[in-house]
Amino acid sequence: MKLQRVALIIALLLFAGMAFAQSNPSSTPAGSSAPAQGAQQPAPGTQPAQGAQPAQGAQPVQPAAPQAKTKDEYDAFMQIQNAPDPATAEGLAIAFETKYPQSQLKAMAYNMVMKKYSDTNNADKVLTTGRKAVSFDPDNVQALLLVSSSLANTTHDTDIDRDEKQAELKKDATHAIELLNGGALTRLGATPEQNNAALSLAYSSLGTMDSHLHNWTAAEPNLRKATELSPEGDPVTWLNLALALDNQQKYPDALNAATKAAQLATAPGYEEVLKTAQGEQARLKQLSGGAATTPNASAPAQKPAGANAMPSSTDPNAQNKPQQTVPNKK
């Protein structure tokens, strides 16, 4: 099954485009020349910033954005951006790191590689390259969120190193939440809704990890927080919340969450999520003896940014017991 992440693509595109929005993207590093006419241009915000000066009377100066020191360094960086596939990009990033060990662009380079691997649903490589990015920049919100999400969705309760993975996720997700609450994105131009979507992803990762480890009581508050921050964003977060509540015998609330999951999962690409949510709905209706009362339950579904598709249960008695979250399979 493909690895799809809750709001992951939004996080990747939004953060990459915003992070340097207040710098001057049209200029090139000192000593470099403009790209040749017709050459492939980088995605917005992924070029290294060029140290533009703030206008008189502007807001307080933001931290200096990373810059290339030479044309060769800049060109090597852009080769990573324009690489045709993730493996090539990773090789170029490794070479870049070796050749320019003092470069300010190393974290950005691995962010780009991480995005390419995310687009191909390669969770292992997302973790490897994301950890690299964090090692170069511990406050790299994008990498912290992606590493957390990947850990949450690839950790099994039978993993020997599950405690270490959970500790790493909690550290990364908690730090991401601290940075986001401290304005790491809003001071760069993010709207409150965009910031909430990023926060939702961090809380969802925390709750999903606990769900996969069957820590239902611990999972509930983080999943609730994620859905409060982004109520129309992700059917899988709602479904995981339904399962956490179901396993605590909180059937009416679980039914409401399952109904919301089913509503959102009618968007294309969520067939397995919809199937599981509908099965959970049917089971919970029998247990709670009533209909769901989720606010806006009749509103048309909006396509979410991404999700971890959860296969429906193959247990013949699934209709008579709560289902459990299943980590993604590649």
Side-chain angles (χ1 to χ4, degrees), residues 3-4 11 17 25 46 53 65-66 81 90 110 117 126 129 132 141 166 172 183 194 216 219 233 251 268 271 323:
L3 180 65
Q4 298 173 302
T46 58
Q53 297 299 316
Q81 163 68 29
E90 184 178 13
Y110 277 98
Y117 276 123
V126 168
T129 54
K132 270 276 196 178
V141 176
Q166 185 176 35
D172 288 351
Q194 290 167 336
W216 308 111
Y251 300 130
E271 291 79 11
Q323 300 180 43

Side-chain angles (χ1 to χ4, degrees), residues 133-144 175-176 178-179 184 187:
V134 172
S135 73
F136 294 133
D137 179 8
D139 294 336
N140 187 329
V141 176
Q142 178 183 344
L144 290 168
H175 188 40
E178 292 170 350
L179 292 169
R187 65 171 170 260

Side-chain angles (χ1 to χ4, degrees), residues 43-68:
T46 58
Q47 283 183 279
Q50 309 309 323
Q53 297 299 316
Q56 186 175 3
Q59 295 299 315
V61 177
Q62 303 298 332
Q67 300 181 43

Side-chain angles (χ1 to χ4, degrees), residues 5 30 55 64 67 73 76 83 100 159 194 202 230 238-239 287 312 319:
R5 298 172 186 79
Q67 300 181 43
E73 180 186 346
Y100 305 102
D159 290 349
Q194 290 167 336
S230 187
W238 281 103
L239 182 52
L287 292 171
S312 59
Q319 195 71 4

Side-chain angles (χ1 to χ4, degrees), residues 220 224 238 241-243 245-260 280-281 283-295:
E220 180 187 345
R224 280 191 183 277
W238 281 103
L241 175 59
L243 298 174
L245 293 166
D246 188 348
N247 278 276
Q248 298 176 81
Q249 292 77 51
K250 299 179 180 180
Y251 300 130
D253 284 351
L255 176 57
N256 292 339
T259 298
K260 188 66 176 181
E280 182 74 354
Q281 270 186 298
R283 179 184 172 281
L284 289 167
K285 284 180 179 178
Q286 292 181 352
L287 292 171
S288 63
T293 59
T294 303

